[in-house]
Amino acid sequence: MNVRIEEGWKRELQGEFEKPYFSVLADAVRREYGNPHIKIFPPAGKIFAAFDRSPFAETKVVIIGQDPYHGPGQANGLAFSVNPDIDIPPSLRNIFKEINSDTGAPIPGSGDLTRWARQGVLLLNSTLTVRQHQPRSHANLGWSEFTDAAVRAINEDGNNIVFMLWGADAIRKGNMIDRSRHLVLTAPHPSPLSASRGFFGCRHFSQANAYLLEHGKDPIVW
């Protein structure tokens, strides 16, 4: 697996790349991408896009997803994000609705969240790859150990980071976050199945910006 990520993240995660579990994970992922009978998303060159688009030292907000979108052309390596020419998925549509209700920001026509990543929002899926039309198909390959390490790195070496944790999988990662040093916001997942149970009305986006401003950081243009 060719790991090309931003230098700050490379330093933080170098120890993980050298562990036995990552070697096993990398071999499994290579086999999956090399199998002509199945399709894997995102494209291999974008597996680590979240780390490449949001330099470690510039990370201000962390949003944790489950695994990449599993439909053709959707996944671009950033959690909840899709390529510009793809219809906005229901969960992301609900995120945009909450942002509009919370901050008044207009609902965009594109689901590409690269603009958030460039502002220091780490859009991290717990699992970084998936088989076409098979959600959670790579959940047991070992990705969770790697993404746990990324969260621990931000917790330990970052300051005043906002963590937005939506749904049970993401909330579990919150157990390793020091709430005396960071802001942890939790809510149900924004999917249509659960958004009405507390995601709508959570006001995470305005809370995040208020916290960033309070700690001398630029707010996110959602």
Side-chain angles (χ1 to χ4, degrees):
M1 190 173 1
N2 186 10
V3 180
R4 291 183 298 177
I5 61 175
E6 183 267 334
E7 286 301 317
W9 274 114
K10 187 179 292 185
R11 286 192 296 272
E12 293 288 334
L13 296 173
Q14 188 60 47
E16 299 303 308
F17 299 138
E18 297 169 357
K19 290 181 179 178
Y21 88 85
F22 192 85
S23 178
V24 173
L25 166 63
D27 287 344
V29 171
R30 286 192 196 97
R31 285 195 300 272
E32 289 285 284
Y33 276 91
N35 186 336
H37 304 294
I38 56 176
K39 290 186 177 180
I40 308 299
F41 301 124
K46 294 186 177 181
I47 293 174
F48 296 95
F51 299 106
D52 211 35
R53 298 294 179 88
S54 298
F56 183 84
E58 297 173 20
T59 299
K60 298 185 288 189
V61 177
V62 179
I63 296 177
I64 299 177
Q66 181 176 286
D67 55 2
Y69 293 118
H70 51 82
Q74 289 182 304
N76 61 10
L78 307 178
F80 294 103
S81 178
V82 291
N83 289 314
D85 55 343
I86 296 294
D87 289 343
I88 298 174
S91 292
L92 182 54
R93 194 176 303 122
N94 286 340
I95 291 171
F96 287 157
K97 287 179 181 177
E98 175 59 22
I99 292 172
N100 174 255
S101 173
D102 183 19
T103 71
I107 294 176
S110 168
D112 184 1
L113 302 181
T114 301
R115 60 191 179 86
W116 291 5
R118 288 174 178 158
Q119 296 177 75
V121 180
L122 178 68
L123 295 159
L124 179 65
N125 279 314
S126 295
T127 299
L128 300 188
T129 55
V130 70
R131 286 186 177 189
Q132 180 171 278
H133 302 320
Q134 296 182 46
R136 302 181 75 92
S137 51
H138 283 182
N140 296 320
L141 292 187
W143 280 124
S144 60
E145 187 168 352
F146 179 76
T147 53
D148 279 356
V151 173
R152 282 195 299 269
I154 301 171
N155 174 62
E156 293 168 6
D157 295 338
N159 286 299
N160 307 126
I161 307 298
V162 180
F163 291 85
M164 294 185 183
L165 309 179
W166 304 326
D169 287 349
I171 290 171
R172 274 193 291 272
K173 282 199 187 304
N175 294 332
M176 63 187 81
I177 300 168
D178 182 352
R179 285 162 167 78
S180 70
R181 296 177 52 223
H182 308 292
L183 176 64
V184 178
L185 302 172
T186 64
H189 195 275
S191 78
L193 297 174
S194 54
S196 60
R197 300 177 195 157
F199 178 77
F200 288 138
C202 69
R203 305 201 67 185
H204 282 183
F205 303 94
S206 61
Q207 290 182 66
N209 278 350
Y211 181 84
L212 293 174
L213 285 167
E214 180 184 345
H215 291 89
K217 300 183 180 184
D218 291 334
I220 306 299
V221 179
W222 299 110

Coordinates of all heavy atoms in Angstrom, one line a residue, residues 46-138:
K46 N -6.6 7.6 -3.1 CA -7.3 8.6 -2.2 C -7.6 7.9 -0.9 O -8.4 8.5 -0.1 CB -8.6 9.0 -2.9 CG -8.4 9.9 -4.1 CD -9.7 10.5 -4.7 CE -9.4 11.4 -5.8 NZ -10.7 12.0 -6.4
I47 N -7.1 6.8 -0.6 CA -7.4 6.1 0.7 C -7.0 7.0 1.9 O -7.8 7.1 2.8 CB -6.6 4.8 0.8 CG1 -7.1 3.8 -0.2 CG2 -6.7 4.2 2.2 CD1 -6.3 2.5 -0.2
F48 N -5.9 7.7 1.8 CA -5.4 8.6 2.9 C -5.7 10.0 2.6 O -5.0 10.9 3.2 CB -3.9 8.3 3.1 CG -3.7 6.9 3.6 CD1 -3.3 5.9 2.7 CD2 -3.8 6.5 4.9 CE1 -3.0 4.6 3.1 CE2 -3.5 5.2 5.3 CZ -3.2 4.3 4.4
A49 N -6.6 10.3 1.8 CA -6.9 11.7 1.4 C -7.2 12.6 2.6 O -6.8 13.8 2.6 CB -8.0 11.8 0.4
A50 N -7.9 12.1 3.6 CA -8.2 12.9 4.8 C -7.0 13.4 5.4 O -7.0 14.6 5.9 CB -9.1 12.1 5.8
F51 N -5.9 12.6 5.5 CA -4.7 13.0 6.2 C -3.9 14.0 5.3 O -3.1 14.8 5.7 CB -3.9 11.8 6.5 CG -4.5 10.9 7.5 CD1 -5.0 9.7 7.0 CD2 -4.7 11.2 8.8 CE1 -5.7 8.8 7.9 CE2 -5.3 10.4 9.7 CZ -5.8 9.1 9.3
D52 N -4.0 13.8 4.0 CA -3.3 14.6 3.0 C -3.9 16.0 2.9 O -3.2 17.0 2.7 CB -3.2 13.9 1.7 CG -1.9 14.3 1.0 OD1 -0.9 14.4 1.6 OD2 -1.9 14.4 -0.3
R53 N -5.2 16.1 2.9 CA -5.9 17.4 2.7 C -5.9 18.3 4.0 O -6.1 19.5 3.9 CB -7.3 17.1 2.2 CG -7.4 16.4 0.9 CD -6.9 17.3 -0.2 NE -6.9 16.6 -1.5 CZ -8.0 16.6 -2.3 NH1 -9.1 17.3 -2.0 NH2 -8.0 15.9 -3.5
S54 N -5.8 17.7 5.1 CA -5.8 18.4 6.4 C -4.5 18.2 7.2 O -4.4 17.3 7.9 CB -7.0 18.0 7.3 OG -8.2 18.2 6.6
P55 N -3.5 19.1 6.9 CA -2.2 18.9 7.6 C -2.4 18.9 9.1 O -3.3 19.5 9.7 CB -1.5 20.2 7.3 CG -2.0 20.6 5.9 CD -3.5 20.2 6.0
F56 N -1.6 18.0 9.8 CA -1.8 17.8 11.2 C -1.8 19.1 12.0 O -2.6 19.3 12.9 CB -0.7 16.8 11.7 CG -0.8 16.5 13.2 CD1 -1.7 15.4 13.6 CD2 -0.2 17.2 14.2 CE1 -1.8 15.1 14.9 CE2 -0.3 16.9 15.5 CZ -1.2 15.9 15.9
A57 N -0.8 19.9 11.8 CA -0.7 21.1 12.6 C -1.8 22.1 12.3 O -2.0 23.0 13.2 CB 0.7 21.8 12.2
E58 N -2.6 22.0 11.3 CA -3.7 22.9 11.0 C -5.0 22.3 11.3 O -6.0 23.0 11.1 CB -3.6 23.3 9.5 CG -2.3 24.0 9.1 CD -2.2 24.2 7.6 OE1 -3.3 24.1 6.9 OE2 -1.1 24.4 7.1
T59 N -5.1 21.1 11.8 CA -6.4 20.5 12.2 C -7.0 21.2 13.3 O -6.4 21.4 14.4 CB -6.2 19.0 12.5 OG1 -5.6 18.3 11.3 CG2 -7.5 18.4 12.9
K60 N -8.3 21.6 13.1 CA -9.0 22.3 14.2 C -10.3 21.6 14.6 O -10.8 21.7 15.7 CB -9.4 23.7 13.7 CG -8.2 24.6 13.4 CD -8.7 26.0 13.0 CE -9.3 26.1 11.6 NZ -9.6 27.5 11.2
V61 N -10.8 20.8 13.6 CA -12.1 20.1 13.8 C -11.9 18.7 13.3 O -11.3 18.5 12.3 CB -13.3 20.8 13.1 CG1 -14.6 20.0 13.3 CG2 -13.5 22.2 13.6
V62 N -12.5 17.7 14.0 CA -12.4 16.3 13.6 C -13.9 15.8 13.5 O -14.6 15.9 14.5 CB -11.6 15.4 14.5 CG1 -11.6 14.0 14.0 CG2 -10.2 15.9 14.6
I63 N -14.3 15.3 12.3 CA -15.6 14.7 12.1 C -15.3 13.3 11.7 O -14.6 13.0 10.8 CB -16.4 15.4 11.0 CG1 -16.7 16.9 11.4 CG2 -17.7 14.7 10.7 CD1 -17.4 17.7 10.4
I64 N -15.9 12.3 12.4 CA -15.6 10.9 12.2 C -16.8 10.2 11.6 O -17.9 10.3 12.1 CB -15.2 10.2 13.6 CG1 -14.0 10.9 14.1 CG2 -15.0 8.7 13.3 CD1 -13.5 10.3 15.5
G65 N -16.6 9.6 10.5 CA -17.6 8.8 9.8 C -17.4 7.3 10.0 O -16.5 6.9 10.7
Q66 N -18.2 6.5 9.4 CA -18.1 5.0 9.5 C -17.2 4.4 8.5 O -16.1 4.0 8.9 CB -19.5 4.4 9.4 CG -19.6 2.9 9.6 CD -21.0 2.4 9.5 OE1 -21.8 2.6 10.5 NE2 -21.4 1.8 8.4
D67 N -17.6 4.3 7.3 CA -16.7 3.9 6.2 C -17.1 4.6 4.9 O -18.1 5.3 4.9 CB -16.7 2.3 6.0 CG -18.1 1.8 5.8 OD1 -19.1 2.5 5.7 OD2 -18.2 0.5 5.7
P68 N -16.3 4.5 3.9 CA -16.6 5.3 2.6 C -17.9 4.9 2.0 O -18.4 3.8 2.2 CB -15.4 4.9 1.7 CG -14.3 4.4 2.6 CD -15.0 3.7 3.7
Y69 N -18.4 5.8 1.2 CA -19.6 5.5 0.4 C -19.3 4.3 -0.5 O -18.2 4.3 -1.0 CB -20.0 6.7 -0.4 CG -20.5 7.9 0.4 CD1 -19.9 9.1 0.3 CD2 -21.7 7.8 1.1 CE1 -20.4 10.2 1.0 CE2 -22.2 8.9 1.8 CZ -21.5 10.1 1.8 OH -22.0 11.2 2.5
H70 N -20.2 3.5 -0.7 CA -20.0 2.2 -1.4 C -20.6 2.2 -2.8 O -20.6 1.2 -3.5 CB -20.4 1.0 -0.6 CG -21.8 1.1 -0.1 ND1 -22.9 0.8 -0.9 CD2 -22.3 1.5 1.1 CE1 -24.0 1.0 -0.2 NE2 -23.7 1.4 1.0
G71 N -21.1 3.4 -3.3 CA -21.6 3.4 -4.7 C -20.6 3.9 -5.6 O -19.6 4.6 -5.3
P72 N -20.7 3.6 -6.9 CA -19.7 4.0 -7.9 C -19.5 5.5 -8.0 O -20.5 6.3 -8.0 CB -20.3 3.5 -9.2 CG -21.2 2.3 -8.8 CD -21.8 2.7 -7.5
G73 N -18.3 6.0 -8.0 CA -18.0 7.4 -8.2 C -18.2 8.3 -7.0 O -17.9 9.5 -7.0
Q74 N -18.7 7.7 -5.9 CA -19.0 8.6 -4.7 C -17.8 8.9 -3.8 O -17.6 10.1 -3.6 CB -20.1 7.9 -3.8 CG -21.5 7.8 -4.5 CD -22.5 7.1 -3.5 OE1 -22.2 6.0 -3.0 NE2 -23.5 7.8 -3.2
A75 N -17.1 7.9 -3.3 CA -16.1 8.2 -2.3 C -14.9 8.9 -2.8 O -14.4 8.6 -3.9 CB -15.7 6.9 -1.7
N76 N -14.4 9.9 -2.1 CA -13.2 10.6 -2.5 C -12.2 10.7 -1.4 O -11.3 11.5 -1.4 CB -13.6 12.1 -3.0 CG -14.2 12.9 -1.9 OD1 -14.3 12.6 -0.7 ND2 -14.7 14.1 -2.3
G77 N -12.4 9.8 -0.4 CA -11.4 9.7 0.7 C -11.7 10.6 1.9 O -10.9 10.5 2.9
L78 N -12.7 11.5 1.8 CA -13.1 12.3 2.9 C -14.4 11.9 3.5 O -15.4 11.7 2.7 CB -13.2 13.8 2.5 CG -11.9 14.4 1.8 CD1 -12.2 15.8 1.3 CD2 -10.7 14.4 2.7
A79 N -14.5 11.7 4.8 CA -15.8 11.2 5.3 C -16.9 12.1 5.0 O -16.8 13.4 5.1 CB -15.6 11.1 6.9
F80 N -18.1 11.6 4.6 CA -19.3 12.2 4.3 C -19.2 13.0 2.9 O -20.3 13.4 2.4 CB -19.8 13.2 5.4 CG -20.2 12.5 6.7 CD1 -19.3 12.5 7.8 CD2 -21.4 11.8 6.7 CE1 -19.7 11.9 8.9 CE2 -21.7 11.2 7.9 CZ -20.9 11.2 9.0
S81 N -18.1 13.1 2.4 CA -17.9 13.9 1.1 C -18.1 13.0 -0.1 O -17.8 11.8 -0.1 CB -16.5 14.5 1.1 OG -16.2 15.2 0.0
V82 N -18.6 13.6 -1.2 CA -18.6 12.9 -2.5 C -18.0 13.8 -3.5 O -17.8 15.0 -3.3 CB -20.1 12.6 -2.9 CG1 -20.7 11.5 -2.0 CG2 -21.0 13.9 -2.9
N83 N -17.7 13.2 -4.7 CA -17.1 14.0 -5.8 C -18.2 15.0 -6.3 O -19.4 14.8 -6.1 CB -16.7 13.1 -6.9 CG -15.5 12.2 -6.5 OD1 -14.5 12.8 -6.0 ND2 -15.6 10.9 -6.8
P84 N -17.7 16.1 -6.9 CA -18.6 17.3 -7.2 C -19.7 16.9 -8.1 O -20.8 17.5 -8.0 CB -17.6 18.3 -7.9 CG -16.3 17.9 -7.4 CD -16.3 16.4 -7.2
D85 N -19.6 15.9 -9.0 CA -20.6 15.6 -10.0 C -21.6 14.5 -9.5 O -22.4 14.1 -10.3 CB -20.0 15.2 -11.3 CG -19.0 14.1 -11.2 OD1 -18.6 13.8 -10.0 OD2 -18.7 13.4 -12.2
I86 N -21.5 14.2 -8.2 CA -22.3 13.1 -7.7 C -23.5 13.7 -6.9 O -23.3 14.7 -6.2 CB -21.5 12.2 -6.8 CG1 -20.4 11.5 -7.6 CG2 -22.3 11.2 -6.0 CD1 -20.9 10.5 -8.6
D87 N -24.7 13.1 -6.9 CA -25.8 13.5 -6.1 C -25.4 13.5 -4.7 O -24.7 12.6 -4.2 CB -27.0 12.6 -6.4 CG -27.6 12.8 -7.7 OD1 -27.3 13.9 -8.4 OD2 -28.4 11.9 -8.2
I88 N -25.9 14.5 -3.9 CA -25.6 14.6 -2.5 C -26.4 13.4 -1.7 O -27.6 13.4 -1.8 CB -26.0 15.9 -1.9 CG1 -25.2 17.0 -2.6 CG2 -25.8 16.0 -0.4 CD1 -25.7 18.4 -2.3
P89 N -25.6 12.6 -1.0 CA -26.3 11.5 -0.3 C -27.2 12.0 0.8 O -27.0 13.1 1.3 CB -25.1 10.7 0.2 CG -23.9 11.1 -0.6 CD -24.2 12.5 -0.9
P90 N -28.1 11.2 1.3 CA -29.1 11.6 2.3 C -28.4 12.1 3.6 O -28.8 13.1 4.2 CB -29.9 10.3 2.5 CG -29.9 9.6 1.3 CD -28.5 9.8 0.7
S91 N -27.4 11.4 4.1 CA -26.7 11.8 5.4 C -26.1 13.2 5.2 O -26.3 14.1 6.1 CB -25.7 10.8 5.8 OG -26.3 9.6 6.2
L92 N -25.4 13.4 4.1 CA -24.8 14.7 3.9 C -25.9 15.8 3.7 O -25.7 16.9 4.1 CB -23.8 14.6 2.7 CG -23.1 15.9 2.4 CD1 -22.3 16.4 3.6 CD2 -22.1 15.7 1.2
R93 N -26.9 15.4 3.0 CA -28.0 16.4 2.8 C -28.6 16.8 4.2 O -28.8 18.0 4.4 CB -29.1 15.8 2.0 CG -30.2 16.8 1.5 CD -31.2 16.1 0.6 NE -30.6 15.4 -0.6 CZ -30.7 14.1 -0.8 NH1 -31.5 13.4 0.0 NH2 -30.1 13.6 -1.9
N94 N -28.7 15.9 5.1 CA -29.1 16.2 6.5 C -28.1 17.1 7.2 O -28.5 18.0 8.0 CB -29.4 15.0 7.3 CG -30.7 14.3 6.8 OD1 -31.6 14.9 6.2 ND2 -30.9 13.0 7.1
I95 N -26.8 16.8 7.0 CA -25.8 17.7 7.6 C -25.9 19.1 7.1 O -25.9 20.1 7.8 CB -24.4 17.1 7.2 CG1 -24.1 15.8 8.0 CG2 -23.3 18.2 7.6 CD1 -22.9 15.1 7.5
F96 N -26.1 19.3 5.8 CA -26.3 20.6 5.2 C -27.6 21.3 5.7 O -27.6 22.5 6.0 CB -26.4 20.5 3.7 CG -25.1 20.3 3.0 CD1 -25.0 19.7 1.7 CD2 -23.9 20.5 3.6 CE1 -23.8 19.4 1.1 CE2 -22.6 20.3 3.0 CZ -22.6 19.7 1.7
K97 N -28.6 20.5 6.0 CA -29.9 21.1 6.5 C -29.6 21.6 7.9 O -30.1 22.7 8.3 CB -31.0 20.0 6.5 CG -31.6 19.7 5.2 CD -32.6 18.6 5.3 CE -33.2 18.2 4.0 NZ -34.2 17.1 4.1
E98 N -28.9 20.8 8.7 CA -28.6 21.3 10.1 C -27.7 22.5 10.1 O -27.9 23.4 10.9 CB -27.9 20.1 10.9 CG -27.5 20.5 12.3 CD -28.6 21.0 13.2 OE1 -29.8 20.7 12.9 OE2 -28.2 21.7 14.2
I99 N -26.7 22.6 9.2 CA -25.9 23.8 9.1 C -26.7 25.0 8.7 O -26.5 26.1 9.3 CB -24.8 23.6 8.1 CG1 -23.7 22.5 8.5 CG2 -24.0 24.9 7.7 CD1 -22.7 22.1 7.5
N100 N -27.6 24.8 7.8 CA -28.5 25.9 7.4 C -29.3 26.4 8.6 O -29.5 27.6 8.8 CB -29.3 25.5 6.2 CG -30.4 26.5 5.8 OD1 -31.6 26.3 6.1 ND2 -30.0 27.6 5.2
S101 N -29.9 25.4 9.3 CA -30.8 25.8 10.4 C -30.0 26.4 11.6 O -30.4 27.4 12.2 CB -31.5 24.5 10.9 OG -32.2 24.8 12.1
D102 N -28.8 25.9 11.8 CA -27.9 26.4 12.9 C -27.2 27.7 12.6 O -27.2 28.6 13.5 CB -26.9 25.3 13.1 CG -26.0 25.5 14.3 OD1 -26.3 26.4 15.2 OD2 -24.9 24.9 14.4
T103 N -26.7 27.9 11.4 CA -25.9 29.0 11.1 C -26.4 30.0 10.1 O -25.9 31.1 9.9 CB -24.5 28.6 10.7 OG1 -24.6 28.0 9.3 CG2 -23.9 27.5 11.6
G104 N -27.4 29.5 9.3 CA -28.0 30.3 8.2 C -27.2 30.2 7.0 O -27.6 30.8 5.9
A105 N -26.1 29.4 6.9 CA -25.4 29.2 5.7 C -26.2 28.5 4.7 O -27.0 27.6 5.0 CB -24.1 28.4 6.0
P106 N -26.2 28.9 3.4 CA -27.0 28.3 2.4 C -26.6 26.9 2.1 O -25.4 26.5 2.3 CB -26.7 29.2 1.1 CG -25.4 29.8 1.4 CD -25.3 30.0 2.9
I107 N -27.5 26.1 1.7 CA -27.3 24.7 1.4 C -26.5 24.6 0.0 O -27.1 25.1 -1.0 CB -28.6 23.9 1.3 CG1 -29.2 23.8 2.7 CG2 -28.3 22.5 0.8 CD1 -30.5 23.1 2.8
P108 N -25.3 24.1 0.0 CA -24.6 24.1 -1.3 C -25.1 23.1 -2.3 O -25.9 22.1 -2.0 CB -23.2 23.7 -0.9 CG -23.4 22.9 0.4 CD -24.6 23.4 1.1
G109 N -24.7 23.3 -3.6 CA -25.2 22.4 -4.6 C -24.2 21.2 -4.8 O -24.6 20.3 -5.5
S110 N -23.1 21.2 -4.2 CA -22.1 20.2 -4.3 C -21.8 19.5 -3.0 O -21.8 20.2 -1.9 CB -20.8 20.7 -4.9 OG -19.7 19.7 -4.8
G111 N -21.6 18.2 -3.0 CA -21.3 17.5 -1.8 C -19.8 17.3 -1.5 O -19.4 16.5 -0.7
D112 N -19.0 18.0 -2.3 CA -17.5 17.9 -2.2 C -17.1 18.7 -1.0 O -17.3 20.0 -1.0 CB -16.8 18.3 -3.4 CG -15.3 18.2 -3.4 OD1 -14.8 17.7 -2.4 OD2 -14.7 18.5 -4.4
L113 N -16.6 18.1 0.1 CA -16.2 18.8 1.3 C -14.7 19.2 1.4 O -14.2 19.5 2.4 CB -16.6 18.0 2.5 CG -18.1 17.6 2.6 CD1 -18.4 16.8 3.9 CD2 -19.0 18.8 2.6
T114 N -14.1 19.2 0.2 CA -12.7 19.5 0.2 C -12.5 20.9 0.8 O -11.5 21.2 1.5 CB -12.1 19.5 -1.2 OG1 -12.3 18.2 -1.8 CG2 -10.7 19.9 -1.3
R115 N -13.4 21.8 0.6 CA -13.3 23.2 1.2 C -13.3 23.1 2.7 O -12.6 24.0 3.3 CB -14.4 24.0 0.7 CG -15.8 23.6 1.1 CD -16.9 24.3 0.3 NE -18.3 23.8 0.7 CZ -18.9 24.2 1.7 NH1 -18.4 25.2 2.5 NH2 -20.1 23.7 2.0
W116 N -13.9 22.2 3.3 CA -13.8 22.1 4.8 C -12.4 21.6 5.1 O -11.8 22.1 6.1 CB -14.8 21.1 5.3 CG -16.3 21.5 5.3 CD1 -16.8 22.7 4.7 CD2 -17.4 20.8 5.8 NE1 -18.1 22.7 4.8 CE2 -18.5 21.6 5.5 CE3 -17.5 19.6 6.5 CZ2 -19.8 21.2 5.9 CZ3 -18.8 19.2 6.8 CH2 -19.9 20.0 6.6
A117 N -11.9 20.5 4.4 CA -10.6 20.0 4.7 C -9.5 21.0 4.6 O -8.6 21.1 5.5 CB -10.3 18.8 3.8
R118 N -9.7 21.9 3.7 CA -8.6 23.0 3.5 C -8.7 24.0 4.6 O -7.7 24.7 4.8 CB -8.9 23.7 2.2 CG -8.5 22.8 1.0 CD -8.9 23.5 -0.3 NE -8.5 22.7 -1.5 CZ -9.0 22.9 -2.7 NH1 -10.0 23.7 -2.9 NH2 -8.6 22.1 -3.7
Q119 N -9.7 24.0 5.4 CA -9.8 24.9 6.5 C -9.4 24.3 7.9 O -9.5 24.9 8.9 CB -11.3 25.4 6.7 CG -11.7 26.3 5.5 CD -13.2 26.7 5.7 OE1 -13.5 27.6 6.5 NE2 -14.1 26.1 5.0
G120 N -9.0 23.0 7.8 CA -8.6 22.3 9.0 C -9.6 21.4 9.6 O -9.5 21.0 10.8
V121 N -10.5 20.9 8.8 CA -11.5 19.9 9.2 C -11.0 18.5 8.8 O -11.0 18.3 7.5 CB -12.9 20.2 8.7 CG1 -13.9 19.1 9.2 CG2 -13.4 21.6 9.1
L122 N -10.7 17.7 9.7 CA -10.3 16.3 9.4 C -11.5 15.5 9.2 O -12.3 15.3 10.2 CB -9.4 15.7 10.4 CG -8.9 14.3 10.2 CD1 -8.0 14.2 9.0 CD2 -8.3 13.7 11.5
L123 N -11.8 15.0 8.0 CA -13.0 14.2 7.7 C -12.6 12.7 7.7 O -12.2 12.2 6.6 CB -13.6 14.7 6.4 CG -14.1 16.1 6.4 CD1 -14.2 16.7 5.0 CD2 -15.5 16.2 7.2
L124 N -12.6 12.1 8.8 CA -12.0 10.8 9.0 C -13.0 9.7 9.2 O -13.8 9.7 10.1 CB -11.1 10.8 10.3 CG -10.4 9.5 10.6 CD1 -9.3 9.2 9.6 CD2 -9.7 9.7 12.0
N125 N -13.0 8.7 8.3 CA -13.8 7.5 8.4 C -13.0 6.5 9.4 O -11.8 6.4 9.3 CB -14.0 6.8 7.1 CG -15.2 7.5 6.3 OD1 -16.2 7.7 6.9 ND2 -15.0 7.7 5.0
S126 N -13.8 5.8 10.2 CA -13.2 4.8 11.0 C -12.5 3.7 10.2 O -11.5 3.2 10.6 CB -14.3 4.2 11.9 OG -14.8 5.1 12.8
T127 N -13.2 3.3 9.1 CA -12.6 2.4 8.1 C -12.4 3.1 6.8 O -13.3 3.8 6.4 CB -13.6 1.2 7.9 OG1 -13.8 0.5 9.2 CG2 -13.1 0.2 6.9
L128 N -11.2 2.9 6.2 CA -10.9 3.8 5.1 C -11.2 3.2 3.7 O -11.0 3.9 2.7 CB -9.4 4.2 5.2 CG -8.9 4.9 6.4 CD1 -7.5 5.4 6.3 CD2 -9.8 6.1 6.7
T129 N -11.6 1.9 3.7 CA -11.9 1.3 2.4 C -13.2 0.5 2.5 O -13.6 0.1 3.6 CB -10.8 0.4 1.9 OG1 -10.5 -0.6 2.9 CG2 -9.5 1.2 1.6
V130 N -13.8 0.2 1.4 CA -15.0 -0.6 1.4 C -15.2 -1.3 0.0 O -14.8 -0.7 -1.0 CB -16.2 0.3 1.7 CG1 -16.6 1.3 0.6 CG2 -17.5 -0.5 2.1
R131 N -15.9 -2.4 0.0 CA -16.3 -3.0 -1.3 C -17.6 -2.4 -1.8 O -18.4 -1.9 -1.0 CB -16.6 -4.5 -1.1 CG -15.4 -5.4 -0.8 CD -15.8 -6.9 -0.8 NE -14.7 -7.8 -0.7 CZ -14.7 -9.1 -0.8 NH1 -15.9 -9.7 -1.0 NH2 -13.6 -9.8 -0.7
Q132 N -17.7 -2.3 -3.1 CA -18.8 -1.8 -3.8 C -20.1 -2.4 -3.3 O -20.2 -3.7 -3.2 CB -18.8 -1.9 -5.3 CG -20.0 -1.3 -6.0 CD -19.8 -1.3 -7.5 OE1 -19.1 -0.4 -8.0 NE2 -20.3 -2.3 -8.2
H133 N -21.1 -1.6 -2.9 CA -22.4 -2.0 -2.4 C -22.4 -3.0 -1.2 O -23.3 -3.7 -0.9 CB -23.1 -2.8 -3.6 CG -23.3 -1.9 -4.8 ND1 -23.7 -0.6 -4.7 CD2 -23.2 -2.2 -6.1 CE1 -23.7 -0.1 -6.0 NE2 -23.5 -1.1 -6.8
Q134 N -21.3 -2.9 -0.4 CA -21.2 -3.8 0.8 C -20.7 -2.9 2.0 O -19.5 -3.0 2.3 CB -20.2 -4.9 0.5 CG -20.7 -5.9 -0.5 CD -19.7 -7.1 -0.6 OE1 -19.3 -7.7 0.3 NE2 -19.4 -7.4 -1.9
P135 N -21.6 -2.1 2.6 CA -21.1 -1.3 3.7 C -20.5 -2.2 4.8 O -21.0 -3.3 5.0 CB -22.4 -0.6 4.1 CG -23.5 -1.4 3.6 CD -23.0 -2.0 2.3
R136 N -19.5 -1.6 5.4 CA -18.8 -2.3 6.6 C -18.1 -3.5 6.1 O -17.6 -4.3 7.0 CB -19.8 -2.6 7.7 CG -20.5 -1.4 8.3 CD -21.4 -1.7 9.4 NE -20.6 -2.0 10.6 CZ -20.3 -1.1 11.6 NH1 -20.7 0.2 11.4 NH2 -19.6 -1.4 12.6
S137 N -17.9 -3.8 4.8 CA -17.2 -5.0 4.4 C -15.8 -5.0 4.7 O -15.2 -6.1 4.8 CB -17.4 -5.1 2.8 OG -17.0 -3.9 2.2
H138 N -15.1 -3.9 5.0 CA -13.7 -3.9 5.4 C -13.6 -3.5 6.9 O -12.5 -3.2 7.3 CB -12.9 -2.9 4.6 CG -12.6 -3.5 3.2 ND1 -11.9 -2.8 2.3 CD2 -13.0 -4.6 2.6 CE1 -11.8 -3.5 1.2 NE2 -12.4 -4.6 1.4

